[in-house]
Amino acid sequence: MAEASTVAEGVLSQYGLAEDPFSLSPDPKFLYLTHQHKAALAKLRYVLERRQGFAVLYGDIGHGKSTLIRRLFGIYREQPEYESVLVTNPDYPTALQLLKRLTDEFGLPRRPSKLDQMQELEGFLVQRFADDKNVVVLIDEAQMMRGEQFELIRQITNFESDENKLVQIILAGQNNLRNKLKLKRALLSRAAAVATLDPLTPEETADMINFRLAVAGRHEPLFTRDAHAFIYDRTKGVPREVVKMCMNALTIGGMMEVDLITAEVVNESIE
């Protein structure tokens, strides 16, 4: 393990990198904001900041959905006028268990029934509204949710004043979340905004690679244009697949002691 770590550090140093630019962890600082990412972020922030209640973010596997949600969480976690929670992998068998997970995040006591727990949550939201606090709930991987849990979310969106929602909820999930919500028309009709993340274009793929390298400390080109084109052709612009391919190519390039990562190096890393 130590030897592998030493090799990785040597590759980063060889290419003038202070940290790994192609880690698969959803670190918000490595989120490259394309036009569609900026549009999605703007839509979601409008819903949250204008207290519009409910929004949905769709993104298939590896399209940056989780990273974008974490970017949102980071924005509002640091602002005193907001109280925000992030729930990942809401794979619970019942609506009550999901509700208790939410109330646990806010530090509320557990009650024996769903009705009592909802009253506990409502009282909390009313008090936070009186304190001029905007409560934000972000749920990632929402495609894991089950039928009655979507009804729970609809019920929570009913908590409102005469003019504003007491809690703002964003469901983020893979594209099969879209199919589930089509069957939950009462909830979907309440969405003030719906955003979708699609694969990157060839230009965006190259820009994302260069952006991540710059964040990690290298501002000169490292991957050649033919490498960019090759990576896009193989990954079809899916961000996570781009990152994985670049990670492997960086390692092989370091072992081959080349100054630039070419398409031949990328292909070598695949084979």
Side-chain angles (χ1 to χ4, degrees):
M1 191 73 173
E3 182 180 351
S5 177
T6 302
V7 171
E9 290 175 2
V11 170
L12 295 180
S13 176
Q14 177 181 342
Y15 291 120
L17 297 163
E19 57 184 312
D20 185 358
F22 302 116
S23 170
L24 292 176
S25 62
D27 188 340
K29 73 180 177 183
F30 283 107
L31 175 62
Y32 173 66
L33 293 174
T34 66
H35 175 73
Q36 62 171 323
H37 285 83
K38 291 177 181 177
L41 199 58
K43 283 183 178 181
L44 300 178
R45 292 193 66 175
Y46 179 85
V47 171
L48 298 179
E49 293 169 13
R50 301 295 296 177
R51 294 180 180 265
Q52 296 297 298
F54 179 59
V56 183
L57 174 65
Y58 299 119
D60 218 346
I61 297 173
H63 283 53
K65 160 188 56 64
S66 294
T67 309
L68 189 66
I69 285 297
R70 281 165 174 77
R71 168 67 70 89
L72 274 176
F73 181 56
I75 290 172
Y76 295 108
R77 181 179 51 187
E78 303 300 326
Q79 298 187 39
E81 63 270 30
Y82 287 86
E83 184 156 352
S84 58
V85 299
L86 171 62
V87 175
T88 59
N89 301 318
D91 188 15
Y92 299 99
T94 68
L96 179 57
Q97 286 177 295
L98 177 58
L99 175 59
K100 287 185 176 182
R101 168 66 190 280
L102 293 175
T103 53
D104 284 349
E105 291 287 339
F106 291 119
L108 302 179
R110 289 195 166 199
R111 301 302 182 191
S113 71
K114 179 184 173 185
L115 177 60
D116 291 339
Q117 200 70 56
M118 286 289 278
Q119 290 176 342
E120 191 72 44
L121 177 60
E122 183 177 18
F124 167 80
L125 295 174
V126 168
Q127 185 58 56
R128 284 294 182 270
F129 185 75
D131 295 338
D132 204 24
K133 290 267 191 177
N134 192 350
V135 178
V136 170
V137 174
L138 307 174
I139 301 180
D140 194 15
E141 304 298 350
Q143 76 279 352
M144 294 181 174
M145 293 168 55
R146 295 165 171 82
E148 62 176 0
Q149 294 167 346
F150 291 107
E151 173 61 16
L152 170 69
I153 298 300
R154 188 195 67 79
Q155 291 170 349
I156 293 175
T157 62
N158 284 335
F159 296 147
E160 57 190 351
S161 69
D162 290 340
E163 297 179 352
N164 298 116
K165 297 290 186 180
L166 301 188
V167 58
Q168 324 312 319
I169 302 174
I170 292 178
L171 298 185
Q174 296 169 19
N175 284 338
N176 54 328
L177 174 63
R178 193 188 307 268
N179 296 327
K180 288 189 173 185
L181 286 177
K182 284 180 180 178
L183 301 176
K184 308 296 177 184
R185 295 175 61 185
L187 174 59
L188 186 58
S189 67
R190 299 187 177 206
V194 175
T196 302
L197 298 181
D198 295 314
L200 307 176
T201 66
E203 294 76 16
E204 290 169 345
T205 299
D207 289 344
M208 186 190 79
I209 293 170
N210 291 332
F211 171 81
R212 294 181 74 106
L213 288 167
V215 171
R218 181 184 174 108
H219 298 278
E220 301 81 17
L222 178 57
F223 287 72
T224 62
R225 289 185 178 180
D226 66 327
H228 290 157
F230 184 88
I231 291 168
Y232 175 79
D233 183 65
R234 287 301 185 96
T235 64
K236 306 306 179 187
V238 176
R240 184 182 299 169
E241 297 305 313
V242 173
V243 170
K244 286 163 60 177
M245 193 168 289
C246 288
M247 174 178 63
N248 292 330
L250 191 69
T251 302
I252 295 301
M255 293 172 61
M256 295 172 65
E257 298 185 344
V258 298
D259 294 329
L260 294 174
I261 308 298
T262 63
E264 288 76 14
V265 174
V266 179
N267 188 55
E268 182 73 19
S269 73
I270 295 172
E271 296 183 356

